[in-house]
Amino acid sequence: QNSMKRRDRHPAPQKAVRIVVLGDPGAGKSSIITVFISGHFEENISPLIPVAVLPPEATVDNVSVTLVDTNASDSKTLVAEIHNADVALIVYAGDQPDSFPRLRSFWLPFVSQQRPDLPIVIVANKVDLRSGDSLHIDKGLRASAAAIMREWQAAETCLECSARRRINVTEAVHYAVKAVLHPTGALYDTRTRDLRPACARALRWVHGVCDADGDGLLDEEELNWYQETVFGAPLQPHQLRSIKDLLRRTRPEGMLGEGVTQEGFLHLHRLFIQRGRTETAWAALRAFGFGPNLRLAPARLPNLAL
């Protein structure tokens, strides 16, 4: 059975994430930061609040988070903060019809011009002030968000929130952190709805490493070795059955007899990403020594014991 040295297997995880919060005046940037930090909404708040730093123990992702408020009219500072950031959280007013077009005409191009590779999370704030049922996603917004994510590859997630009612504020910051720790764009092309070539190559390599008998298939023992290598525990029998049933339903060529083919292995990770579980795909790649650029460091090559 293949064995991998456990020492130095995983690239060092990022310990801190710096989030620059962008958007037009009145979109609610400062309120989102304040509610995330304190849990309370304040009616009268400063238009620009100081940089806020939260220690790892205060965040669900166990990393230090720095939140940087910005003034939309201070272009010099905006550019500097975009270059210093790990991710941009762009906020627009979900109750104002002219706010969303500004997102597309100004903010997305502006960020892209400064940092084409900077991950972006888009937040529609003030949904509590929107007419209709504010707790349900507007169908037009859903379609617009999907179009943005196809057009702008750096856009990782679009979601709605209400700082006033404390809806999805924590989630907005979590998704920003997740965009840095487990970025979708490096693995998946939202235009083609498929794995990027580098990701597919890496996963094929992982499949090959796990394929101890070299028959091109992963049997239950090999699947469990993969699972233990990545997550530290084997799959339960019902989980193995579910995986096989899923592949037979959605990608018949993913199964050959009782074994998972290379295409089936890739399809499972494609589904993880499509369902928002990018951390699962990244866990697999990192466990086998792949870094953020999806290159395998020579020092982390597995030790193949025959």
Side-chain angles (χ1 to χ4, degrees):
Q1 176 68 38
N2 292 348
S3 63
M4 177 171 286
K5 296 178 180 178
R6 290 196 176 271
R7 68 178 184 276
D8 212 25
R9 251 186 2 188
H10 302 264
Q14 184 157 337
K15 296 294 186 181
V17 173
R18 187 178 180 90
I19 304 170
V20 60
V21 185
L22 307 170
D24 289 335
K29 304 184 296 295
S30 302
S31 292
I32 286 175
I33 296 173
T34 301
V35 169
F36 179 75
I37 294 169
S38 68
H40 301 288
F41 178 81
E42 298 179 18
E43 289 289 348
N44 299 312
I45 190 172
S46 171
L48 185 68
I49 63 174
V51 172
V53 181
L54 279 77
E57 57 269 21
T59 68
V60 296
D61 301 284
N62 199 33
V63 295
S64 173
V65 173
T66 300
L67 289 159
V68 182
D69 198 4
T70 57
N71 180 344
S73 63
D74 185 351
S75 59
K76 183 177 180 180
T77 302
L78 284 178
V79 170
E81 291 298 349
I82 288 170
H83 282 278
N84 287 333
D86 296 307
V87 58
L89 189 73
I90 306 181
V91 182
Y92 73 95
D95 66 321
Q96 298 176 17
D98 59 342
S99 190
F100 185 79
R102 275 275 296 172
L103 171 72
R104 302 192 69 165
S105 65
F106 176 75
W107 285 109
L108 286 167
F110 181 73
V111 173
S112 179
Q113 183 181 15
Q114 309 305 322
R115 288 271 306 278
D117 61 337
L118 187 68
I120 296 170
V121 170
I122 298 167
V123 178
N125 188 29
K126 301 188 178 183
V127 296
D128 55 299
L129 301 180
R130 191 176 59 204
S131 60
D133 188 347
S134 64
L135 297 182
H136 289 78
I137 296 176
D138 179 79
K139 291 182 179 179
L141 177 62
R142 187 193 294 272
S144 298
I148 280 179
M149 294 184 69
R150 287 193 299 269
E151 181 180 355
W152 300 90
Q153 292 290 290
E156 289 273 331
T157 308
C158 301
L159 72 157
E160 295 186 322
C161 85
S162 168
R164 180 185 297 272
R165 296 181 61 178
R166 301 187 299 281
I167 299 170
N168 279 349
V169 172
T170 299
E171 288 78 1
V173 176
H174 167 68
Y175 277 115
V177 173
K178 183 177 176 180
V180 178
L181 302 182
H182 317 294
T184 302
L187 307 183
Y188 185 78
D189 189 328
T190 55
R191 295 172 183 170
T192 63
R193 294 184 57 80
D194 204 355
L195 300 174
R196 292 193 179 277
C199 177
R201 284 194 299 270
L203 289 172
R204 289 190 186 99
W205 188 89
V206 173
H207 183 278
V209 170
C210 297
D211 181 17
D213 57 14
D215 65 352
L217 303 172
L218 298 186
D219 59 25
E220 291 190 1
E221 182 180 355
E222 291 161 342
L223 282 170
N224 272 326
W225 184 78
Y226 160 82
Q227 186 76 8
E228 289 176 357
T229 299
V230 178
F231 301 107
L235 291 161
Q236 297 300 311
H238 73 276
Q239 294 174 314
L240 284 165
R241 289 194 300 271
S242 295
I243 287 171
K244 294 177 182 180
D245 290 344
L246 174 65
L247 286 174
R248 289 188 176 107
R249 288 197 316 271
T250 62
R251 188 62 58 118
E253 63 269 32
M255 291 292 299
L256 186 59
E258 292 299 312
V260 176
T261 67
Q262 194 175 83
E263 173 53 34
F265 189 71
L266 266 64
H267 184 61
L268 288 172
H269 290 83
R270 185 184 298 115
L271 289 177
F272 289 144
I273 296 168
Q274 289 175 345
R275 295 173 181 180
R277 293 170 55 190
T278 52
E279 63 273 17
T280 302
W282 272 113
L285 293 165
R286 287 167 178 151
F288 284 86
F290 288 93
N293 57 6
L294 296 182
R295 293 178 182 172
L296 189 65
R300 297 190 178 100
L301 285 168
N303 174 34
L304 302 184
L306 301 178

